[in-house]
């Protein structure tokens, strides 16, 4: 009888991957040593995968699909790669803020993203070291890696042929908060300066000298769509909220327009970013 497993639980998915690997290996009468020889790895590696003691890499999944010629292997969409993808997505959901997975389902479809960041650099603009500087160091290495991988994967929309038009307003405190230390902040601000000069990304700074009521309520993100209803995303108390209420979205648009109007223009923002950068040297 085939064991049941929870398709949303990464631990169950990894156990299913191990079960399928052992099943196909034994069906073909292969010892661990023979399979390891064919894949160019050690028998211990195979043993660890079958005992769920070893995290599975994408390349390993592809190699297994090629060796066993699973359905879809020629298009890099074989049985093991599909399981690997499910494990990766389940890991991402496990470490996400409650409610954020709903936001991610829509972010990649937006043709416009407007974000006011009141505390830290938005995830789409973060360097990997900055990401790690924000994370709880007591978390397991696997959890930290999954969180970083999820944010890096989000950033692929910046490199799309037709990326969304993105406008970010950063409160000056975002530049002054030394996440990860001086070296990390220098690299992060350099990254922001580079992105700010991209034709599809605008980065503005709200200086301390401005007191704008709309900017005191906290950060938020507006997603704009060509045909669908615009969405508002905000976080409070460790929970993310995705809102499609027309009145709330309209008010958020008004607030963002006021914040953008009070923020520094691009040249002034670049100047302030450079000034902040110098304080970390």
């Amino acid at each position: 009888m085939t064991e049941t497993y929870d398709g949303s639980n990464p631990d169950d998915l990894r156990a299913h991957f191990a079960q399928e690997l052992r099943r196909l290996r034994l069906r073909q009468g292969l010892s661990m040593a023979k399979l390891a020889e064919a894949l160019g790895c050690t028998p211990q590696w195979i043993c660890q995968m079958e005992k769920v003691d070893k995290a599975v890499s994408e390349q390993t999944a592809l190699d297994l699909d090629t060796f066993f010629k699973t359905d879809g292997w020629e298009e890099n969409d074989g049985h093991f790669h599909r399981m690997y993808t499910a494990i990766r997505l389940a890991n991402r959901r496990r470490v996400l803020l409650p409610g954020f997975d709903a936001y991610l389902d829509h972010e990649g479809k937006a043709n416009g993203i407007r974000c006011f960041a009141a505390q830290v650099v938005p995830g789409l603009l973060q360097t990997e070291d900055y990401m790690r500087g924000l994370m709880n160091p007591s978390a397991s290495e696997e959890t930290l890696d999954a969180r970083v991988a999820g944010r890096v994967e989000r950033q692929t929309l910046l490199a799309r042929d037709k990326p969304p038009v993105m406008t970010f307003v950063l409160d000056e405190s975002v530049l002054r908060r030394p996440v990860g230390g001086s070296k990390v902040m220098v690299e992060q601000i350099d990254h922001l300066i580079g992105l700010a000069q991209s034709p599809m990304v605008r980065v503005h700074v709200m200086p301390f000298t401005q007191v704008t009521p709309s900017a005191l309520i906290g950060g938020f993100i507006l997603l704009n769509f060509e045909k669908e209803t615009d969405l508002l995303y905000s976080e409070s108390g460790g929970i993310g909220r995705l809102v499609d209420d027309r009145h709330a979205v309209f008010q958020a648009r008004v607030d963002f327009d006021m914040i953008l109007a009070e923020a520094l223009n691009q040249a002034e923002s670049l100047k302030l970013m450079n000034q902040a950068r110098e304080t970390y040297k």
Side-chain angles (χ1 to χ4, degrees):
M1 182 176 68
T2 302
E3 295 183 27
T4 60
Y5 64 97
D6 181 357
S8 65
N9 185 320
D11 296 330
D12 282 353
L13 288 168
R14 288 176 62 189
H16 182 62
F17 188 104
Q19 183 183 4
E20 286 294 283
L21 172 57
R22 177 176 171 78
R23 182 179 69 83
L24 287 180
R25 178 176 65 78
L26 294 178
R27 174 183 285 181
Q28 295 197 15
L30 295 170
S31 65
M32 290 185 183
K34 283 292 186 182
L35 179 57
E37 182 182 357
L39 296 177
C41 62
T42 65
Q44 290 77 16
W45 181 275
I46 303 297
C47 181
Q48 286 176 319
M49 282 197 292
E50 291 191 3
K51 288 183 176 181
V52 202
D53 290 336
K54 175 69 68 176
V56 177
S57 70
E58 183 173 22
Q59 189 57 55
T60 297
L62 292 170
D63 289 345
L64 288 170
D65 282 326
T66 300
F67 178 80
F68 289 110
K69 292 184 171 48
T70 64
D71 180 43
W73 73 272
E74 292 176 301
E75 292 79 35
N76 289 337
D77 188 37
H79 182 49
F80 286 104
H81 189 262
R82 292 195 296 273
M83 285 191 288
Y84 161 81
T85 301
I87 293 168
R88 186 187 64 185
L89 292 175
N91 272 323
R92 187 183 75 175
R93 292 190 182 96
R94 169 181 276 182
V95 301
L96 287 177
L97 188 72
F100 192 59
D101 54 341
Y103 168 82
L104 288 179
D105 288 339
H106 296 278
E107 183 182 69
K109 305 171 188 175
N111 60 5
I113 299 175
R114 289 179 285 177
C115 171
F116 171 57
Q119 296 291 332
V120 296
V121 174
L124 285 172
L125 308 183
Q126 293 173 4
T127 64
E128 290 191 31
D129 286 337
Y130 186 93
M131 295 173 195
R132 290 186 180 276
L134 289 172
M135 295 174 184
N136 185 348
S138 66
S140 69
E141 192 65 27
E142 183 179 8
T143 295
L144 295 177
D145 288 345
R147 287 176 175 158
V148 170
R151 294 190 188 185
V152 170
E153 185 178 356
R154 280 180 67 201
Q155 294 177 358
T156 58
L157 68 81
L158 293 164
R160 286 192 327 209
D161 290 338
K162 292 184 179 180
V165 177
M166 290 171 274
T167 302
F168 298 88
V169 180
L170 315 180
D171 187 84
E172 186 177 344
S173 61
V174 171
L175 303 175
R176 303 298 183 182
R177 185 167 288 108
V179 174
S182 296
K183 182 176 182 293
V184 171
M185 286 304 298
V186 168
E187 293 174 350
Q188 177 61 73
I189 294 174
D190 282 343
H191 186 58
L192 289 173
I193 290 171
L195 288 171
Q197 298 174 76
S198 164
M200 301 301 287
V201 181
R202 297 169 60 195
V203 181
H204 298 266
V205 179
M206 174 67 74
F208 286 142
T209 52
Q210 286 286 20
V211 181
T212 305
S214 297
L216 301 178
I217 60 176
F220 59 92
I221 302 173
L222 281 164
L223 297 181
N224 309 122
F225 303 91
E226 186 174 351
K227 297 180 180 179
E228 300 174 28
T229 303
D230 290 349
L231 297 172
L232 164 66
Y233 178 78
S234 62
E235 295 175 355
S236 177
I239 297 176
R241 293 176 60 242
L242 191 64
V243 179
D244 62 0
D245 177 77
R246 291 183 182 277
H247 176 75
V249 173
F250 173 78
Q251 185 58 54
R253 282 199 296 260
V254 172
D255 289 339
F256 188 84
D257 288 344
M258 293 180 66
I259 291 169
L260 184 58
E262 296 291 334
L264 300 176
N265 64 33
Q266 185 179 40
E268 294 168 337
S269 296
L270 288 170
K271 181 178 179 181
L272 184 52
M273 282 189 272
N274 275 298
Q275 290 173 349
R277 181 186 187 279
E278 290 302 311
T279 66
Y280 293 108
K281 285 190 168 183

